[in-house]
Amino acid sequence: MHGDAVWTFGPFELRQSTRQLLSHGRPLPLGSRAFDLLCALVERAGEVLSREVLVARVWPRTIVEDSSLRVHIVALRKLLGEGRDGARYIANVPGRGYGFVAPVQLAGAVSHPASALVPVLAAAPWVAAPGLPRPLTRLVGRAETVAALSAQLARCRLVSIVGPGGVGKTALALAVAHASLASYEQGVCFLDLARVSTAAQLPAALAAALGIKLPAGDAWPGVMAHLHPRRMLIVLDNCEQLIGIAASVAERVLKQAPGVHMLTTSHEALDAEGERVHRLAPLAFPERTEHAGFAAPPDLASALAFPAIQLFVQRAMANTCSFALTDQNLVLVLQLCRQLDGMPLAIELAAARVHALGLQGLARPADELLRLLTRGRRTAAPRHQSLQAMLDWSHALLSETERVVLRRLAVFRAGFTLAAATSVVGDEQLRPGAVIEGLLGLCAKSLLAIDSRDDSFGYRLQHMTRVHAMGKLVESGERQAVAQRLAESGHERGPGRQWPPALHLVLFRA
């Protein structure tokens, strides 16, 4: 490169004389080694430069580790905004080296033919796979979680986002994947396991998500051979229906492909070797506070600081221009978000009904509200198009013992202890050990919340989960017998958050 050369690409200028990289005319922070590396790549844009060539240019007469070059490449990609709005600058060809792939122009010269790339370089799947969805709406209330998970994923190769259906696991995983793009030379591969019905289909589905074609037969050797030299992130979404297979796949990939990291979402943890679990909580909403014997709602500004309120207001305004949060409707919005336990899917479904029903129309008993929340996005998966469908999906994944325990737990009006559960849920056919096994299974599958506040330890069901379970209890014909055991046990009220008296009447009316 000439001493006074100025190269331009995208919004950037690379000035050799002043050793500066500018974006829209503003200098960017760039170390000496990173500047030399970028110059080497830009000067020979369109070519594949080996590690040896780049090291000789950037670290002459110095012995450096392989990781030094990789660290500087990652830093350059991040600085250039690699992956943002589809931007692509530095590509990696496994076993060959790196190449600059954006069109480059030398000031006063014709455009460098950077698009006339070496075929293997042009085909290198280093960027995010085309199948990585890009959300069209802003993620509400999860910014700190995205940052924390991105950092954790850099340290731990297997991270699982665990939570009940409708809590926003997929949206969070996509946000983390997009935030982490610059950290993975070969980008991100996204696979929705809800679209895979059997374990036998999984290898071919993963190969398709990776964009590779394999001969018929056992696809695993080809998938592993493809992954082994790569540094990339694989996102396995909705692992709950193939949880055992997903765990095996995760361990197999991590053992045979040392540069691959994995992010999974599921109702329950994979229980795989090396797994770090993040249990995703619903969006925060204002708790009930008592003032002079009455429930005192926060003011508008305080209420809007809670993500559940923010989400409802944003989605309601998107569905009807006339909606606004006011002092007059604040209490109704608070009650609705509390009734929906801050669950993003339920809140979005409720917000979609504001145009047709108004807030007063949504102020209904919980079982009626469950039947109303059916207007999901037409493009969403069937289980996301109504709250009933989501709860049915979760129920179908349970064992028979877990289903029995869940529906019988619906008789508890508030939190309950393990002792209360065994005495009320158990009978001659369902012994205490089976009750405990079922209860632990429900906790693992995120259908039963652990409540350990105020020096007490207990469990509770979310409002809508309990309404759904109560329906199953009525269908089973067991309601009267279980309610009788509850009355005789003296465990009608237990530890944990207490539901409002009005909701008790709704859930236990004849």
Side-chain angles (χ1 to χ4, degrees), residues 35-67:
F35 180 86
D36 290 340
L37 177 58
L38 184 57
C39 286
L41 292 166
V42 170
E43 184 180 19
R44 297 174 61 179
E47 299 181 37
V48 181
L49 305 183
S50 68
R51 175 190 177 279
E52 290 74 21
V53 169
L54 292 173
V55 168
R57 172 71 178 270
V58 180
W59 292 275
R61 299 178 301 279
T62 303
I63 299 176
V64 298
E65 297 180 357
D66 290 348
S67 60

Side-chain angles (χ1 to χ4, degrees), residues 415-432:
F416 54 88
T417 63
L418 180 61
T422 53
S423 64
V424 173
V425 172
D427 58 16
E428 292 182 358
Q429 285 73 42
L430 194 67
R431 310 307 298 171

